[in-house]
Each structure stands twice: as structure tokens, then as C-alpha cells.
């Protein structure tokens, strides 16, 4: 039985219109869904349909033209920039297409930096990072720099980093889009396992229909709206 308390994220009638010049470009036009705790949602759709835009609205990196994003009981439209920054830090872990690891820091440091920056004591942040790096199977690479790691390994570090602040929601934007098939399968499986084992919710954007099938709820984004698939 699901009740409202099991809903983590609620998106209501979201729209996004760009008006770069004379013209109005409507990207999202009435996107609505609810995501439960521990639920995994996948979104596919052709290039340019608005998938990244949707993630940016959920994370408050971009503001909607209409509609509302509600996390637990927090309405994003009511928040100012510092509140949105705090919201992202507390609620969201990101995994992008490219890992965006800091080249001058080791794998372990990359994982624990967000926790340290959020004010967690160095020792406990490092300890949690060590647990996470173990879970992604890369403890032996803790002291290596990103340039010494493969693309797939960097993505696994990025997954661990996304989890360091213990956010309830992971947003992943084509996290394996940069990898060959063998590596992407490993990263995908690990992403799903980690999200599952850590009890997180997931919104995963992907071009890969096989990967999209792994979602508990599956949508395709076309003409500005989500359709079940
Ligand atoms: N600042 C902007 N001004 C005008 N149009 C924009 C702006 N940002 C994005 N767009 C347009 O919005 C549309 C959706 O972009 P978005 O990045 O969300 O697509 P996507 O589904 O993630 O595509 P891809 O699969 O290629 O990553 C695109 O047509 C893009 O050109
Ligand atoms: Mg995109």
C-alpha cells in the first residue's frame, strides 16, 4: 500500500519555455509525475526533447516557467538561491554523462570533498568515503588520480561521490553515455545496485532502451510531456 508519506518528489504540470529572441520555444509542457521513496524512474526521449532541462528543474538549477516541483514538503518555487543550494546539497546526488571529477584530487578525495564542504568533519567524511569506494569496488584505487583511472572507473567514483551526502534522490543524466558497452554495463549495474542498497530514489535519463527497462517506472518524453512506456 502506498500513501502520500511514501512520495519523495512530486512534479505538477511543469512547463519550460525559452524565449531567446522573438520566438517562444516550448520545451516542457505539462510534465507531471510522483516519485516514491526507493523508486527508480527512467526517462528516454530523442535528443533535444528536454530531458536535461527536466533534471535541471528538479534540482533547481533552472527555474520553471510554470508548475511546481515539491520535494517532501518543500516547494522549489518558494526558495531563493541560497535555499536552493542547500536543497541540492541535502536532497540530491548527481551523476553526469562525463564524470567531472577534480583532476588534482585522488579518487577518495573526490568522493569525500562534497561532505567536507558541507561541513562534515574530515575524519567521518573520509570514513564514509572509504565505505563507499569499497562498495563500488575501487578501494585499491583510492589514492589514484582521475587521469590514472578508466572512464568506467571514474564513473563509479562519481556514483560514490553522488551518495556521500546521503541524499534521498539521485539524478543521473546519461551516466554511461560516454562509455563503451562493456564498461557501461558494469557502471549501470553498479548504479542500480547502489541506489537499491542505499535505499535511494533514482531519476535516470538515458538513450539506452535496455537500461531504461530496468526502471520501476519508465517514461518517454515527447512533445513536452511524459508518457509511460
Ligand atoms: N538557454 C536556452 N535557450 C534556448 N533554448 C534552449 C536553452 N537551453 C536549452 N534549450 C533547448 O531546449 C531543448 C531541450 O534541451 P535539453 O538539453 O533538455 O535536451 P535533452 O533531451 O537533454 O537532449 P540530449 O539527449 O541531446 O542531451 C533543446 O532544443 C535546446 O536547444
Ligand atoms: Mg541532455
Amino acid at each position: 500500500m502506498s500513501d502520500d508519506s511514501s512520495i519523495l518528489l512530486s512534479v505538477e504540470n511543469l512547463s519550460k519555455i525559452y524565449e531567446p529572441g522573438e520566438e517562444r520555444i516550448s520545451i516542457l509542457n505539462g510534465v507531471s509525475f510522483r516519485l516514491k521513496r526507493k523508486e527508480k524512474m527512467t526517462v528516454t526521449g530523442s535528443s533535444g526533447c528536454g530531458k536535461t532541462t527536466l533534471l535541471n528543474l528538479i534540482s533547481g538549477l533552472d527555474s520553471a516557467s510554470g508548475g511546481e516541483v515539491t520535494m517532501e514538503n518543500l516547494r522549489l518555487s518558494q526558495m531563493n538561491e541560497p535555499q536552493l543550494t542547500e536543497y541540492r546539497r541535502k536532497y540530491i546526488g548527481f551523476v553526469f554523462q562525463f564524470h567531472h571529477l577534480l583532476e588534482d584530487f585522488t579518487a577518495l578525495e573526490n568522493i569525500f570533498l562534497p561532505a567536507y564542504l558541507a561541513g562534515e568533519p574530515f575524519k567521518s567524511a573520509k570514513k564514509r568515503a572509504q565505505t563507499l569506494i569499497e562498495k563500488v569496488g575501487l578501494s585499491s584505487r583510492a589514492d589514484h588520480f582521475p587521469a590514472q583511472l578508466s572512464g568506467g572507473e571514474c564513473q563509479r567514483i562519481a556514483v560514490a561521490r553522488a551518495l556521500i551526502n546521503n541524499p534521498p534522490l539521485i539524478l543521473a543524466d546519461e551516466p554511461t553515455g560516454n562509455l563503451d558497452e562493456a564498461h557501461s554495463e558494469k557502471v549501470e549495474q553498479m548504479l542500480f545496485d547502489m541506489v537499491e542498497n542505499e535505499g535511494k530514489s533514482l531519476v535516470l535519463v538515458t538513450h539506452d532502451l535496455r537500461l531504461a527497462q530496468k526502471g520501476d517506472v519508465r517514461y518517454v518524453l515527447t512533445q513536452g510531456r511524459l508518457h509511460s512506456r
Side-chain angles (χ1 to χ4, degrees):
M1 281 287 286
S2 73
D3 57 69
D4 264 9
S5 64
S6 71
I7 302 292
L8 175 71
L9 174 72
S10 164
V11 169
E12 299 288 338
N13 205 18
L14 207 60
S15 67
K16 182 68 188 179
I17 298 166
Y18 287 113
E19 299 181 69
E22 295 290 286
E23 81 245 83
R24 278 164 61 91
I25 310 172
S26 173
I27 305 299
L28 301 178
N29 176 27
V31 169
S32 299
F33 68 90
R34 286 177 171 197
L35 185 71
K36 293 180 196 155
R37 283 170 207 286
K38 304 186 183 184
E39 195 165 52
K40 300 179 205 70
M41 164 176 159
T42 59
V43 182
T44 53
S46 54
S47 181
C49 73
K51 304 180 296 297
T52 297
T53 303
L54 176 60
L55 294 187
N56 288 343
L57 296 181
I58 294 171
S59 65
L61 284 170
D62 196 358
S63 57
S65 308
E68 185 64 277
V69 175
T70 309
M71 175 69 80
E72 291 181 338
N73 54 357
L74 300 171
R75 292 163 63 185
L76 265 63
S77 67
Q78 308 294 307
M79 294 186 205
N80 58 28
E81 277 306 322
Q83 288 169 327
L84 285 168
T85 302
E86 185 59 26
Y87 157 75
R88 276 190 289 279
R89 188 171 280 167
K90 190 167 169 202
Y91 285 93
I92 295 177
F94 293 96
V95 186
F96 300 100
Q97 178 169 11
F98 183 73
H99 56 74
H100 296 299
L101 296 180
L102 300 170
E103 296 294 333
D104 294 337
F105 292 87
T106 65
L108 191 74
E109 287 165 348
N110 267 284
I111 297 173
F112 78 68
L113 263 176
Y116 184 60
L117 294 174
E120 193 177 327
F122 179 83
K123 245 184 160 172
S124 64
K126 190 171 172 186
K127 195 159 176 232
R128 179 158 163 74
Q130 277 162 337
T131 308
L132 284 168
I133 203 170
E134 213 163 284
K135 286 186 181 167
V136 300
L138 289 172
S139 340
S140 61
R141 303 301 210 112
D143 296 330
H144 289 210
F145 291 90
Q148 299 170 303
L149 302 173
S150 73
E153 287 166 345
C154 285
Q155 274 313 56
R156 283 152 65 192
I157 297 296
V159 172
R161 178 185 55 182
L163 289 159
I164 188 77
N165 283 336
N166 212 14
L169 176 63
I170 301 296
L171 299 180
D173 196 353
E174 295 183 46
T176 60
N178 229 359
L179 306 173
D180 64 39
E181 205 169 327
H183 282 100
S184 39
E185 274 201 44
K186 193 159 184 188
V187 170
E188 282 159 18
Q189 194 56 52
M190 201 218 60
L191 174 65
F192 273 85
D193 290 349
M194 290 291 278
V195 165
E196 177 91 27
N197 296 339
E198 302 275 312
K200 308 305 184 192
S201 303
L202 174 70
V203 178
L204 169 75
V205 159
T206 180
H207 276 122
D208 182 342
L209 297 180
R210 186 184 49 83
L211 175 55
Q213 267 327 101
K214 293 188 181 184
D216 307 314
V217 275
R218 302 173 294 275
Y219 292 107
V220 58
L221 180 58
T222 46
Q223 294 177 331
R225 289 181 191 228
L226 291 177
H227 306 266
S228 296
R229 58 176 290 274

